[in-house]
Amino acid sequence: MPSNSPTQAGHSDLAIAPDTVEAINGVFLLLSTNYGNQFNAAFPNTDRSNIAKRLWAKHLNKYPKAVLMAVADEIVGKETFLPSLAKFKEYCDHAYSLFGLPDVHSAYVEACRATAPKKNYNWSHLAVYYAGLATDWFFLSSAVESAVLPVFKRNYEMICDRVIKGEELDTPIHKALPAEVSVPLDKKANLAELKKLRQSMDL
């Protein structure tokens, strides 16, 4: 494994995802390019840089590669000073907005307040609709937040991860009304139809 990898020999116990390794290397390259002297002061040699990469990889391993790269790009456009790991993680925790996704609690409130039919509601993002669908609309509307939110959060984050990785969510299909609507026959008409059926079958 390359010497600049966050998971070089002796640190395999961290179970760092390959995408995270690649992302952390990309993040450090972007930070070194944009923060020059600050970066070199913080990480004056390869050993220091590798130690930092392993630490960052350990604490950022749960975030998809797309989030890490998007956050790095946002930070270099906003922050004057080289961000600490804590600062970078803080950005990651609020990265949904970079992909047009509301934060978890806002999504939960939206799902709870959405009017029926849910498919026709003007969702801020389809991920909210699918998270509500996976959680169960009745459960959302009838149970207390402390019981529902953890379930909704898990479903929403799973769907958001798919969106962040580039998956497009299908727009719910609205069922069309039938071309003809049948009207139930009254008792007299039913008897007449039954008589015709018996006659056709020679009963």
Side-chain angles (χ1 to χ4, degrees):
M1 185 170 289
S3 62
N4 65 345
S5 168
T7 55
Q8 57 184 299
H11 296 273
S12 58
D13 58 304
L14 296 179
I16 304 300
D19 274 357
T20 302
V21 173
E22 185 178 348
I24 294 298
N25 285 330
V27 166
F28 270 60
L29 178 61
L30 188 61
L31 295 180
S32 67
T33 301
N34 284 271
Y35 294 103
N37 292 334
Q38 294 179 45
F39 185 91
N40 292 333
F43 313 113
N45 53 55
T46 301
D47 287 342
R48 288 286 297 273
S49 179
N50 284 339
I51 291 171
K53 284 181 180 181
R54 289 195 292 271
L55 181 63
W56 282 51
K58 176 182 177 181
H59 288 278
L60 301 174
N61 193 34
K62 71 174 183 177
Y63 301 103
K65 176 183 175 182
V67 167
L68 297 176
M69 297 308 299
V71 164
D73 189 62
E74 183 185 27
I75 283 178
V76 298
K78 288 184 177 181
E79 300 290 340
T80 304
F81 299 103
L82 178 71
S84 64
L85 171 57
K87 186 71 172 181
F88 195 94
K89 189 174 184 299
E90 182 182 337
Y91 267 83
C92 288
D93 288 336
H94 299 89
Y96 282 168
S97 61
L98 299 177
F99 300 87
L101 296 158
D103 63 79
V104 173
H105 195 265
S106 295
Y108 166 75
V109 171
E110 181 180 356
C112 289
R113 294 179 178 176
T115 54
K118 307 298 185 182
K119 290 181 180 179
N120 293 340
Y121 189 75
N122 185 26
W123 297 100
S124 61
H125 196 287
L126 281 176
V128 183
Y129 165 77
Y130 281 109
L133 186 65
T135 304
D136 184 75
W137 299 117
F138 180 76
F139 183 42
L140 274 167
S141 63
S142 59
V144 297
E145 179 175 324
S146 59
V148 185
L149 184 56
V151 179
F152 179 86
K153 180 177 184 292
R154 183 190 64 225
N155 291 328
Y156 183 63
E157 288 179 342
M158 289 174 61
I159 294 168
C160 286
D161 282 348
R162 289 162 50 190
V163 172
I164 289 167
K165 290 175 181 176
E167 181 176 335
E168 291 188 11
L169 302 178
D170 293 330
T171 302
I173 298 175
H174 308 290
K175 292 183 179 180
L177 293 174
E180 296 182 3
V181 180
S182 59
V183 179
L185 300 175
D186 58 26
K187 183 177 182 180
K188 184 177 180 181
N190 273 326
L191 289 174
E193 288 296 319
L194 179 60
K195 183 178 180 180
K196 288 181 183 179
L197 179 62
R198 290 172 64 88
Q199 289 174 345
S200 68
M201 299 178 67
D202 294 326
L203 296 176

